[in-house]
């Protein structure tokens, strides 16, 4: 097919009919160095590089994982990403093209019977041979011929079934639709950047809309679960146990802690201890720490004991640096909710 395409490019004057050819490829051995660019070009380069990284990662990891699963191979994510990073670093220093485990090239490689790393060495040797011998003829190859080869290579592997799963699961459907529409309308680079931005916005929306769960004891055991979903769980008299359903961060901490404070104030019968389980928050940002600091003071003003249970190491270390007077009647604990309840029910002396 390639040979026939080159012959057509040579004898049929295809450019006159609007058919584009590959054109002359100017190859030269470059000395590895960083380009000298004005600052504005570096900024633009950073934008394009971010989008390119997303494209290379998504396509490469997709082809790596799918073909590894197909052939029963083991995937080593760190190894694969290190190889891609090293290849792109060297390619960039030599002014080469971005390198990735493209789905079309992988499909064509598999269709040709590749079964080991030796296939890459053979392919590199063939490309070198072409460059040294028939490069001027390659320039006459019509671009539609290359497109047809890629489509043929992908035809066996492409399927709409993976996209259908998102509609069956009813998760990320909006993101999938927006990503496809953005790429079709804006192109691959700008469309992908918009899709990433939409993904971040949806993630922030989900985390910021987190609710606060009131926990109860399950069948007199050591497990404490959401009372709303498990009405048979029992509340501990005099103790309010609450847990945010998502990690605390700047967009949800004020609303969640405000809800916990209202529950403590209006609890019937009144409670003497509030247990806040922070198992979903491995770390805390500055806004969350400030909000918790104010929450400590508000709970103390209600003359209640506050116990922070399931506190992760990073979060506990950050809160421990608050002034000692603000930690009065506050217990920072990495232990379980059950231990915190036992501590709350100890008689005071």
């Amino acid at each position: 097919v390639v040979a026939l395409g080159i012959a057509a490019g040579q004898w049929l004057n295809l450019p006159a009919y609007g058919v584009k050819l590959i054109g002359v490829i100017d190859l030269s051995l470059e000395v590895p160095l960083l380009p000298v660019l004005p600052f504005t070009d570096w900024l633009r380069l950073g934008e394009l590089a971010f989008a390119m990284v997303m494209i290379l990662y998504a396509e490469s990891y997709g082809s790596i994982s799918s073909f590894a699963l197909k052939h029963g191979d083991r995937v080593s994510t760190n190894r694969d990403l290190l190889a891609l990073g090293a290849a792109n670093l060297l390619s960039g220093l030599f002014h080469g093209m971005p390198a990735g485990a493209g789905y079309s090239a992988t499909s064509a490689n598999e269709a040709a019977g590749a079964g080991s790393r030796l296939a890459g060495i053979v392919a590199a040797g063939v490309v070198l041979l072409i460059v040294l011998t028939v490069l001027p003829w390659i320039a006459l190859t019509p671009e539609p011929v290359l497109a047809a080869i890629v489509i043929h290579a992908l035809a066996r592997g492409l399927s709409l079934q993976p996209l259908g799963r998102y509609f069956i699961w009813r998760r990320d459907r909006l993101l999938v639709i927006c990503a496809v529409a953005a790429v079709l309308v804006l192109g691959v680079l700008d469309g992908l950047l918009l899709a990433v931005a939409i993904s971040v916005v949806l993630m922030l929306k989900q985390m910021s809309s987190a609710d606060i769960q009131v926990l109860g004891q399950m069948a007199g055991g050591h497990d404490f679960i959401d009372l709303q979903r498990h009405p048979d769980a029992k509340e501990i008299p005099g103790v309010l146990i609450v847990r945010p359903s998502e990690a605390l961060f700047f967009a949800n901490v004020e609303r969640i802690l405000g809800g916990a404070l209202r529950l403590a104030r209006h609890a019937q019968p009144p409670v003497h201890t509030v247990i806040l389980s922070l198992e979903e928050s491995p770390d805390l940002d500055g806004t969350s720490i400030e909000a918790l600091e104010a929450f400590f003071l508000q709970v103390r003003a209600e003359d209640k004991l506050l116990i922070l249970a399931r506190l992760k190491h990073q979060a506990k270390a950050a809160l421990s640096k608050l002034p000692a007077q603000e930690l009065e009647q506050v217990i920072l604990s990495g232990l379980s909710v059950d231990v915190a309840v036992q501590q709350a029910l100890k008689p005071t002396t």
Side-chain angles (χ1 to χ4, degrees), residues 36-85:
V36 179
L37 299 173
F39 182 71
T40 54
D41 288 349
W42 278 111
L43 292 178
R44 177 57 178 165
L45 184 62
E47 297 174 3
L48 296 175
F50 175 77
M52 185 63 68
V53 166
M54 294 294 102
I55 293 174
L56 289 177
Y57 171 77
E59 184 180 22
S60 299
Y61 195 75
S63 61
I64 289 171
S65 58
S66 61
F67 280 94
L69 181 64
K70 181 178 180 180
H71 294 278
D73 296 331
R74 182 175 61 87
V75 176
S76 177
T77 307
N78 288 337
R79 178 198 63 189
D80 298 335
L81 291 179
L82 181 62
L84 287 172

Side-chain angles (χ1 to χ4, degrees), residues 22 170 212 220 256 342:
I22 291 180
R170 297 186 178 182
I212 188 163
I256 288 177
Q342 297 175 25

Side-chain angles (χ1 to χ4, degrees), residues 30-264:
E30 297 284 349
V31 177
L33 51 82
L34 291 174
V36 179
L37 299 173
F39 182 71
T40 54
D41 288 349
W42 278 111
L43 292 178
R44 177 57 178 165
L45 184 62
E47 297 174 3
L48 296 175
F50 175 77
M52 185 63 68
V53 166
M54 294 294 102
I55 293 174
L56 289 177
Y57 171 77
E59 184 180 22
S60 299
Y61 195 75
S63 61
I64 289 171
S65 58
S66 61
F67 280 94
L69 181 64
K70 181 178 180 180
H71 294 278
D73 296 331
R74 182 175 61 87
V75 176
S76 177
T77 307
N78 288 337
R79 178 198 63 189
D80 298 335
L81 291 179
L82 181 62
L84 287 172
N88 279 284
L89 179 62
L90 291 175
S91 179
L93 290 175
F94 282 94
H95 300 179
M97 296 291 291
Y103 202 90
S104 57
T106 306
S107 299
N109 211 21
E110 185 206 30
S116 70
R117 297 182 181 90
L118 186 61
I121 299 176
V122 173
V126 171
V127 170
L128 179 61
L129 180 64
I130 290 175
V131 167
L132 295 177
T133 56
V134 295
L135 190 60
W137 295 100
I138 296 297
L140 298 173
T141 306
E143 289 186 0
V145 171
L146 294 184
I149 293 173
V150 172
I151 292 172
H152 175 72
L154 289 173
R156 297 186 305 169
L158 287 181
S159 171
L160 294 178
Q161 183 178 0
L163 290 178
R165 297 172 184 170
Y166 289 94
F167 291 86
I168 296 175
W169 297 335
R170 297 186 178 182
R171 300 183 64 86
D172 299 331
R173 288 181 297 177
L174 178 61
L175 178 60
V176 170
I177 294 173
C178 291
V180 173
V183 170
L184 291 176
V185 174
L186 302 177
V188 176
L189 287 177
D190 293 334
L192 182 63
L193 287 175
L194 180 59
V196 170
I198 294 173
S199 177
V200 172
V201 170
L202 292 177
M203 180 187 68
L204 290 176
K205 179 180 181 297
Q206 175 185 348
M207 296 181 68
S208 62
S209 60
D211 59 355
I212 188 163
Q213 302 169 352
V214 179
L215 306 185
Q217 190 175 26
M218 187 65 180
H222 300 287
D223 296 325
F224 288 80
I225 54 181
D226 185 7
L227 283 170
Q228 186 174 2
R229 295 187 177 182
H230 302 273
D232 52 333
K234 304 298 182 182
E235 296 186 60
I236 305 298
V239 179
L240 174 67
I241 310 169
V242 291
R243 177 181 64 195
S245 61
E246 297 283 353
L248 295 180
F249 76 117
F250 64 88
N252 66 12
V253 63
E254 297 283 354
R255 184 174 55 80
I256 288 177
L257 294 182
L261 188 61
R262 286 192 296 273
L263 289 172

